[in-house]
Amino acid sequence: MHRIINTGRYPLDEPGTAGWDRVVEQARGELATDGCCVLSGFIRPELLDTLRAEGEALAPHAYYTVEKVNAYNIPLDADLPPDHPGNIVLERGNAFVARDLIPAEALIQVLYTNPVFQRFIADCFGLAELHEFSDPLAGLCLNVVAPGMSHPWHFDTNAFTVSMLTRAPEAGGVFEYCPGIRTPEDENLGDVRAVLTGAGAHLIRRLELRPGDLQLFQGRFSLHRVSPVEGTTQRHTTIFAYSEQPGVVGNVERTRQLFGRVLPDHIAAAGAVRGDRLLD
C-alpha cells in the first residue's frame, strides 16, 4: 500500500495505530454529519499520471449510450402513482467500463482487491466487515463522462460508495448531492421530487474533487449526480463497489443500462430482496 497510497497522510501501512484511528474517526465524523467524506490526496502524487493514463487507455472500452432513465433506475413504465418522482424522465449520457475489462495489474484493481484497503474502508463506515461486490461487471468500474454529458440524479444500489476521480474535466462535472434525503424507512418522495423539478436547490450540496482524492459516500440514501461536463476533456471516476452482505449483484434493468449486457449472474439474482424496501 505504501507504493500507492500517500501513507504520510493516511497510514494504511500501520493498521490499528493512532494514525489509522485518527483518519478513521475523521471519516466517521464527516459521514455522520454529511453522508460524505473526501480523503484529499489519497494517492501518491507521483502516481497521478499513471492513474490518469490507465483510465485513458480503458475509456474507449466504455459502453456508451444516451438513454432515458429515472432516478431509481427502474423501468420507466413501472406502475407508480402519477406524482411519483420515478415518473420524471432524465437523460443519462455517461458511460461505464466494466470490471471484466480492467486488467488485474491496473492501480485501481490492485487497490480494490487489497485486504488492508478493504479493512480501512470497513472501519471508516463502522462495519465489522465488507465484501467485494459479487457483480462481475459492476464490482469495479470506470465511469466516463464526455463533454456535454452528465450522470443524472440517481441513488446507488448499495448503502455506501467508494470512488476516486482519476481525470478531471476542464470545467463542469461537479459532484452534487442531497445528503440523507431518504432513509431505509422513508423514500421522502416530496423532497426527491423537488430536487428533480428544480425546486430543491436548498437541499443540494456541491463538491469539487481532484484526481487522487478518495470519496466515501452514502449513496443509497443520498440523491446525487455529476453536472454536465464542459470543455474538451472527459471526466473519469473509478467506482469501488463493496457491500456489507456477500453476494450482492445489480438488477437486470440497471445492468443493461450501464453495461449494455447482462450475464447469468444477473439473471440468477433477479428478484433478490435488498436489505431495505427502497426502490432500487
Side-chain angles (χ1 to χ4, degrees):
M1 285 291 92
H2 71 277
R3 293 194 298 269
I4 300 176
I5 295 169
N6 182 355
T7 51
R9 186 180 299 180
Y10 306 107
L12 267 70
D13 56 340
E14 301 175 352
T17 63
W20 173 292
D21 292 342
R22 172 184 52 79
V23 175
V24 166
E25 288 305 313
Q26 175 189 341
R28 287 185 181 181
E30 294 180 12
L31 287 166
T33 57
D34 194 46
C36 182
C37 170
V38 177
L39 302 179
S40 301
F42 189 77
I43 297 297
R44 287 188 174 278
E46 61 269 26
L47 289 181
L48 293 181
D49 285 344
T50 300
L51 197 66
R52 174 186 50 76
E54 289 182 349
E56 289 174 348
L58 289 170
H61 301 290
Y63 173 71
Y64 174 80
T65 183
V66 176
E67 285 193 295
K68 302 297 183 183
V69 297
N70 55 38
Y72 303 95
N73 286 293
I74 59 175
L76 295 179
D77 59 356
D79 184 17
L80 301 172
D83 62 345
H84 195 289
N87 292 320
I88 297 174
V89 179
L90 309 169
E91 185 175 273
R92 186 184 65 76
N94 61 315
F96 286 90
V97 179
R99 182 181 184 180
D100 61 356
L101 299 176
I102 300 175
E105 66 273 13
L107 286 178
I108 57 175
Q109 189 82 261
V110 172
L111 195 59
Y112 177 65
T113 57
N114 184 273
V116 176
F117 180 69
Q118 293 175 7
R119 181 66 263 161
F120 173 71
I121 297 301
D123 283 358
C124 287
F125 283 108
L127 303 174
E129 60 180 10
L130 56 70
H131 304 270
E132 294 178 23
F133 229 36
S134 294
D135 193 305
L137 302 182
L140 172 72
C141 58
L142 183 73
N143 179 230
V144 178
V145 186
M149 297 298 172
S150 68
H151 192 172
W153 291 110
H154 66 284
F155 292 102
D156 293 336
T157 298
N158 45 324
F160 55 90
T161 305
V162 183
S163 62
M164 179 185 295
L165 188 72
T166 62
R167 181 181 179 182
E170 293 175 18
V174 177
F175 183 81
E176 301 181 338
Y177 65 109
C178 307
I181 198 171
R182 70 177 183 176
T183 70
E185 297 78 29
D186 185 4
E187 291 278 7
N188 195 10
L189 300 177
D191 280 352
V192 173
R193 183 175 181 83
V195 172
L196 298 181
T197 57
H202 61 289
L203 299 168
I204 301 172
R205 299 183 187 181
R206 293 171 175 83
L207 189 62
E208 295 280 355
L209 297 166
R210 296 169 297 180
D213 290 351
L214 186 71
Q215 182 183 9
L216 310 181
F217 183 58
Q218 294 170 332
R220 183 146 181 79
F221 310 113
S222 299
L223 188 67
H224 55 289
R225 75 166 186 165
V226 173
S227 68
V229 168
E230 303 170 15
T232 60
T233 303
Q234 293 180 341
R235 181 187 192 272
H236 296 168
T237 305
T238 298
I239 300 173
F240 307 90
Y242 300 106
S243 59
E244 190 172 356
Q245 299 83 21
V248 174
V249 176
N251 71 36
V252 171
E253 177 70 15
R254 172 172 287 198
T255 300
R256 199 183 306 278
Q257 288 177 4
L258 299 185
F259 302 107
R261 54 192 169 112
V262 294
L263 300 178
D265 305 65
H266 302 102
I267 303 299
V273 177
R274 302 291 185 206
D276 54 57
R277 296 289 181 171
L278 297 172
L279 284 180
D280 221 15

